[in-house]
Amino acid sequence: MAVVERDAARTRQRILDVAQKLFAERGYAGTSIADIARELGTSKAALYYYFTAKEQILGALITEPMAGYAAIAERVEREKVSADELLTALVDLTVDAQTVNSLLSNDPSATSVMRRLHDVQGYTETIIRSLAGPRPSEAALVRARAAFAVAKQGTFWVVQASDGALSPAARKELVAAALRCLDG
């Protein structure tokens, strides 16, 4: 990678880091491009070289976690995945995306942008249908939604309570709790 490309990548990452920090502190709606530029010590014009809109910055922040979420949904559409494996993948993805999850869970305007950029509802429904099994009853769908909630929200709160870490024992317990929801 050339020096110019490496510097551009570093600058882009610095913009994302600053934006993520400001979004977390002030909210997505409460942070302007001018705020980000000021925190970076640069002009808005320089920032626009890398991102033409604030929505693009948020899009870049959520690209990796959303790609992981999409990959899980696509996988369960292609092949049979055990509930244990699927719930473990959700727990791991939630841990890996904890910073973005924290931002999105506290900011409805950021969530709105994310939903415009990604088919979150579609991914979620695909995963829930996979957990519920073929031709699920209403009860099976309720249990699948509960298992999904334990895997996603349970992990989010356990990670928050433990300063961003998830021990192997806590990971195992979260998956076991989610699986118990499916057992009915």
Side-chain angles (χ1 to χ4, degrees):
M1 182 184 283
V3 172
V4 172
E5 291 172 337
R6 197 171 38 249
D7 288 348
R10 268 189 285 213
T11 300
R12 187 176 190 282
Q13 188 57 53
R14 188 165 164 253
I15 292 167
L16 292 173
D17 293 343
V18 166
Q20 184 171 314
K21 175 183 158 268
L22 292 176
F23 291 164
E25 290 172 0
R26 303 175 185 179
Y28 175 76
T31 303
S32 68
I33 289 288
D35 295 332
I36 297 168
R38 189 172 27 262
E39 184 78 17
L40 287 164
T42 191
S43 68
K44 289 190 321 185
L47 189 96
Y48 282 129
Y49 176 79
Y50 294 93
F51 297 98
T52 59
K54 185 170 69 165
E55 186 172 299
Q56 259 190 350
I57 295 171
L58 181 60
L61 287 170
I62 63 175
T63 293
E64 190 175 321
M66 283 293 98
Y69 200 44
I72 291 170
E74 290 165 7
R75 181 171 175 217
V76 300
E77 287 184 323
R78 284 191 324 268
E79 62 187 82
K80 178 75 174 138
V81 179
S82 73
D84 188 334
E85 190 177 356
L86 178 53
L87 292 166
T88 299
L90 284 172
V91 167
D92 291 345
L93 179 63
T94 303
V95 171
D96 291 343
Q98 65 183 314
T99 306
V100 173
N101 286 336
S102 180
L103 167 68
L104 295 173
S105 71
N106 296 321
D107 193 334
S109 60
T111 302
S112 175
V113 170
M114 181 193 63
R115 287 186 176 144
R116 276 198 313 276
L117 297 174
H118 298 279
D119 184 17
V120 177
Q121 190 63 33
Y123 304 152
T124 300
E125 288 305 315
T126 297
I127 292 166
I128 288 170
R129 280 193 312 273
S130 177
L131 289 170
R135 292 191 208 120
S137 64
E138 182 177 6
L141 283 168
V142 167
R143 289 191 303 270
R145 288 184 192 288
F148 180 87
V150 168
K152 293 284 288 174
Q153 294 299 57
T155 301
F156 175 79
W157 291 110
V158 169
V159 168
Q160 290 293 312
S162 58
D163 296 325
L166 184 68
S167 70
R171 178 180 182 257
K172 183 177 178 182
E173 186 53 41
L174 281 161
V175 172
L179 287 169
R180 285 192 298 273
C181 291
L182 292 176
D183 289 337

